[in-house]
Amino acid sequence: MIKVSVLTTVYNETWMQVLRAINSVEKQVTEELSIEHIIVVDNPSYKYRDNLYSLRDQIASHNFKIMIIENSTNKGLANSLNIAIDVSTSDILARLDADDWMNNNRLSQQLTVLQLKHADIVYTDTLLFIQGVKQPKYIPSLDSGLVKKGLPISNFISHSSVMFWKPAITEVGMYRQLEPAEDYDLWLRLRNQNRIFAYIDKPLTSREVRSDSISNSNLYYQIMMARFVRRINRTGQVGQTDISDIPKNLSTEKLHKINRKIKKFRSAKGINKALLGILSGFIFRTTLNDVYFRIVVFLYEVKQK
């Protein structure tokens, strides 16, 4: 029997979200696959901690076990994931955010691809559920053949969808404190070491977008950190990273203003979109990067036909 360690961190998610995630992991168990679900509580005042322990004791079985780790202080996502990796008892790891859930047979399908292709990381497409919208949005990823040229331009791998080989992750130094681009930084280091990426073009993970999620409320820092990890991985910088050039002292008012500009630009079309891009140097640079990425993807797809 093969064991997979699933890594989840909890901060302020509701009990219904956490329970949904855990139940979706438990459903991945088969006669050939056992699961160790490692949950790191990164919030000393998390109000559903007793629910977690109670659930752990109720559903513990030979093929599915929950391991709960409580951080005495808030350590952040990257450090919490490294803690989970350190205590995991399997060399096959899978990620799942506490407010996401796995779709049917995700782990079995990823494990098959991991073994057949001798891959170090396997990622999938995603279903995105947006608050207030009835129908989920299909978010396709891109073929692993684009990792070499496309990944250094844009991150197209959903963190919550991946399964990876533990020795490959530990050999590149695991996660670094580069939130909210800690996953992108890890993918780039794996890519730089010519690790094998594999892709399953199916939506095997579902994500729920909250109004206070990083991807919605912190667009500016998300883009800035993505630029930063691209630069440090392009130059080969390793070890302690210097992020002092990323401004963190912006006022709340200014940060919200920048985020509103980015959202407005993303929803605009035609001439309005062009004007908004020209009027903002930050957005203009981001747009050029997006255009370049689309060209790389287009040329790759043409070459494959």
Side-chain angles (χ1 to χ4, degrees):
M1 178 176 288
I2 298 176
K3 178 192 286 187
V4 174
S5 295
V6 177
L7 317 178
T8 297
T9 65
V10 172
Y11 182 69
N12 63 357
E13 290 79 10
T14 68
W15 176 239
M16 292 303 297
Q17 289 173 323
V18 175
L19 183 61
R20 178 182 61 193
I22 294 173
N23 287 339
S24 76
V25 174
E26 184 181 16
K27 291 178 181 178
Q28 305 294 313
V29 172
T30 67
E31 293 182 356
E32 296 80 27
L33 178 63
S34 67
I35 298 173
E36 167 188 70
H37 195 175
I38 304 171
I39 300 175
V40 180
V41 180
D42 193 33
N43 181 354
S45 59
Y46 186 61
K47 61 182 179 179
Y48 299 114
R49 58 181 302 279
D50 291 340
N51 299 53
L52 273 174
Y53 284 103
S54 177
L55 181 64
R56 179 198 63 181
D57 297 338
Q58 289 176 23
I59 66 177
S61 68
H62 178 67
N63 292 339
F64 180 66
K65 294 182 179 179
I66 296 175
M67 181 190 302
I68 301 171
I69 299 171
E70 293 189 68
N71 292 339
S72 57
T73 59
N74 175 237
K75 297 182 182 298
L77 179 57
N79 284 333
S80 295
L81 288 174
N82 286 340
I83 289 170
I85 292 171
D86 284 337
V87 302
S88 62
T89 60
S90 172
D91 277 342
I92 302 172
L93 309 176
R95 268 287 288 127
L96 184 69
D97 287 334
D99 52 357
D100 298 345
W101 60 99
M102 294 184 178
N103 297 329
N104 292 340
N105 302 314
R106 169 188 149 177
L107 294 184
S108 294
Q109 293 185 60
Q110 286 186 297
L111 183 60
T112 297
V113 173
L114 192 80
Q115 294 172 323
L116 287 176
K117 296 192 175 183
H118 303 286
D120 296 296
I121 177 171
V122 180
Y123 59 96
T124 77
D125 294 339
T126 304
L127 286 179
L128 182 64
F129 290 79
I130 305 172
Q131 285 184 341
V133 180
K134 291 184 178 180
Q135 294 297 322
K137 183 179 181 180
Y138 190 103
I139 307 296
S141 189
L142 294 170
D143 188 74
S144 58
L146 276 161
V147 166
K148 197 66 178 177
K149 291 187 176 181
L151 197 59
I153 307 171
S154 181
N155 182 16
F156 53 81
I157 298 175
S158 170
H159 195 186
S160 200
S161 80
V162 301
M163 172 181 282
F164 35 52
W165 182 239
K166 181 177 178 178
I169 302 302
T170 56
E171 285 174 15
V172 298
M174 301 196 291
Y175 290 95
R176 298 193 288 196
Q177 287 182 272
L178 294 169
E179 293 93 341
E182 77 292 329
D183 56 332
Y184 190 22
D185 173 61
L186 180 58
W187 311 155
L188 288 174
R189 281 182 283 133
L190 290 169
R191 174 249 182 212
N192 290 345
Q193 287 201 1
N194 296 314
R195 295 293 182 170
I196 300 174
F197 288 70
Y199 166 52
I200 300 176
D201 58 347
K202 297 178 183 178
L204 299 183
T205 304
S206 292
R207 297 185 58 224
E208 183 177 58
V209 176
R210 308 188 311 273
S211 59
D212 62 342
S213 67
I214 287 176
S215 58
N216 272 337
S217 63
N218 226 353
L219 292 170
Y220 172 73
Y221 285 133
Q222 187 180 38
I223 293 171
M224 290 298 290
M225 287 304 298
R227 289 181 183 175
F228 179 75
V229 299
R230 281 196 289 268
R231 186 172 77 248
I232 63 174
N233 281 284
R234 183 174 63 250
T235 59
Q237 182 178 341
V238 295
Q240 184 64 35
T241 56
D242 178 15
I243 58 175
S244 60
D245 57 339
I246 297 179
K248 292 182 177 297
N249 58 347
L250 293 177
S251 66
T252 301
E253 181 181 352
K254 186 172 183 179
L255 183 59
H256 286 172
K257 185 178 180 180
I258 295 173
N259 285 333
R260 284 196 298 270
K261 283 185 178 180
I262 297 171
K263 291 178 182 179
K264 186 176 181 180
F265 172 76
R266 288 184 172 180
S267 61
K269 295 181 180 180
I271 296 177
N272 287 337
K273 195 178 188 77
L275 289 174
L276 288 171
I278 293 172
L279 292 175
S280 170
F282 175 78
I283 293 177
F284 183 69
R285 181 180 173 185
T286 303
T287 303
L288 288 180
N289 188 79
D290 291 343
V291 171
Y292 178 42
F293 179 65
R294 291 183 184 183
I295 292 173
V296 170
V297 173
F298 173 75
L299 293 176
Y300 173 82
E301 291 176 344
V302 169
K303 187 177 180 180
Q304 298 305 305
K305 292 180 180 180

